[in-house]
Amino acid sequence: MGKRITAILLAAMMVFVLLPKTAFAWVNGAWFVEYDVWVGGIRITSDNCGNVRGDGSVVYHPTSNRLDLHNANISSNQYGNASYDPIANGIYTLVPLTIMLDGNNTITGTNNDYGRGIYAYNHKIARNYDITIGGGGNLTISGTHNAIKCGTLTFAENCGKVTATGVRAHGLFGVNVNIKGGVISATSQADGYGGICAGNNIIISRGTVIASNTNGYAFDTTAHGGISFEGNYADDNCKVSVGTDATHTTDLSPSAISTVRHNYKYCKIEPKPF
């Protein structure tokens, strides 16, 4: 009997070890679940997820990892001690996150060196997490490093207007970048960086995309990555303008989009006029 009980206990312990880890916090005399998402330095919990900042501007849905922003103005604490410190970034997440925009929203990563508007990376296990942005609202996002850095960065078909600025690195950086809609404008102010950069591929299928850097490149990818069109923009069904800035451009054949990398400071992609 004793051996049987021991075996049962060991089996239970093994199951417990394999279960996803959940953090709990004691708040105001009760236990609450802590989620791996921080907004403006505030960790989201089961207690505050319905109104994260107390002003109705941020709501988190834990079952779907969805973050709703309603005219939110989010800023990081500039005294965060490293890029992976939650308070150094406007939004910091250790889970894949879908962000739905409503109204006009602002996210700022103000850490002196490494602040990012949105950062989705676990430095302990070297893992990136995906970010999807949608909804009909607008977003102005910036960081002293990147505006956004994550795994696959997707702008959904229902995305509104997103304006991104990276001061010391790429404006937008994803392992992959998929633009399926919206008006996406991304700028880098750093020497040698790209307005939009991907570790692998940049795929654009719809919407208007503006990428620029007067000190670097409109688009950047690693040596094995590339820029391509799919969906609505397949078969050269879009207009591409390239140049040094918005006032000095020439048209480029969409079939030559792969040449944009490291060759132009400004690039605009938009629906072909009829």
Side-chain angles (χ1 to χ4, degrees):
M1 178 64 72
K3 290 183 179 180
R4 185 177 179 184
I5 293 175
T6 300
I8 292 173
L9 290 173
L10 287 173
M13 291 176 63
M14 290 178 66
V15 171
F16 177 78
V17 168
L18 294 173
L19 287 172
K21 302 302 184 295
T22 302
F24 294 88
W26 180 262
V27 181
N28 297 326
W31 286 103
F32 294 101
V33 178
E34 289 185 324
Y35 303 113
D36 286 333
V37 183
W38 290 257
V39 176
I42 300 172
R43 186 168 190 174
I44 299 178
T45 70
S46 56
D47 180 47
N48 67 17
C49 63
N51 189 2
V52 176
R53 307 178 74 216
D55 59 3
S57 66
V58 181
V59 176
Y60 180 62
H61 305 270
T63 56
S64 58
N65 288 338
R66 193 184 88 198
L67 191 69
D68 295 344
L69 303 185
H70 310 274
N71 295 309
N73 186 359
I74 299 166
S75 180
S76 66
N77 184 333
Q78 64 177 334
Y79 299 109
N81 59 19
S83 61
Y84 49 81
D85 188 329
I87 66 172
N89 305 280
I91 294 175
Y92 182 69
T93 178
L94 297 178
V95 295
L97 198 62
T98 295
I99 299 173
M100 300 299 290
L101 306 173
D102 177 55
N104 297 311
N105 303 275
T106 303
I107 303 174
T108 308
T110 56
N111 180 274
N112 291 336
D113 295 310
Y114 294 104
R116 296 176 172 92
I118 299 173
Y119 194 30
Y121 181 73
N122 188 334
H123 74 284
K124 293 181 180 179
I125 59 175
R127 178 178 177 181
N128 293 286
Y129 300 92
D130 298 342
I131 297 291
T132 298
I133 299 177
N138 304 316
L139 173 63
T140 300
I141 183 167
S142 62
T144 51
H145 206 255
N146 311 101
I148 301 175
K149 186 173 183 181
C150 61
T152 294
L153 174 60
T154 300
F155 295 95
E157 291 183 8
N158 66 343
C159 189
K161 183 178 181 180
V162 177
T163 303
T165 303
V167 176
R168 298 183 180 178
H170 307 290
L172 300 174
F173 179 88
V175 175
N176 294 287
V177 177
N178 296 325
I179 301 175
K180 301 179 178 180
V183 178
I184 314 302
S185 179
T187 300
S188 172
Q189 299 176 358
D191 292 346
Y193 285 83
I196 299 177
C197 180
N200 293 320
N201 298 300
I202 299 170
I203 300 173
I204 303 169
S205 56
R206 192 177 180 184
T208 297
V209 182
I210 302 171
S212 64
N213 184 356
T214 56
N215 300 310
Y217 314 104
F219 290 99
D220 191 13
T221 62
T222 60
H224 59 278
I227 308 168
S228 61
F229 293 125
E230 291 184 0
N232 287 18
Y233 285 171
D235 302 321
D236 294 353
N237 194 28
C238 61
K239 179 182 178 182
V240 180
S241 304
V242 295
T244 56
D245 55 49
T247 60
H248 299 87
T249 64
T250 59
D251 290 345
L252 180 75
S253 170
S255 61
I257 189 65
S258 61
T259 66
V260 169
R261 177 181 177 267
H262 286 180
N263 282 323
Y264 300 99
K265 298 179 182 297
Y266 175 91
C267 180
K268 182 177 183 180
I269 299 164
E270 57 190 325
K272 181 181 290 185
F274 294 98

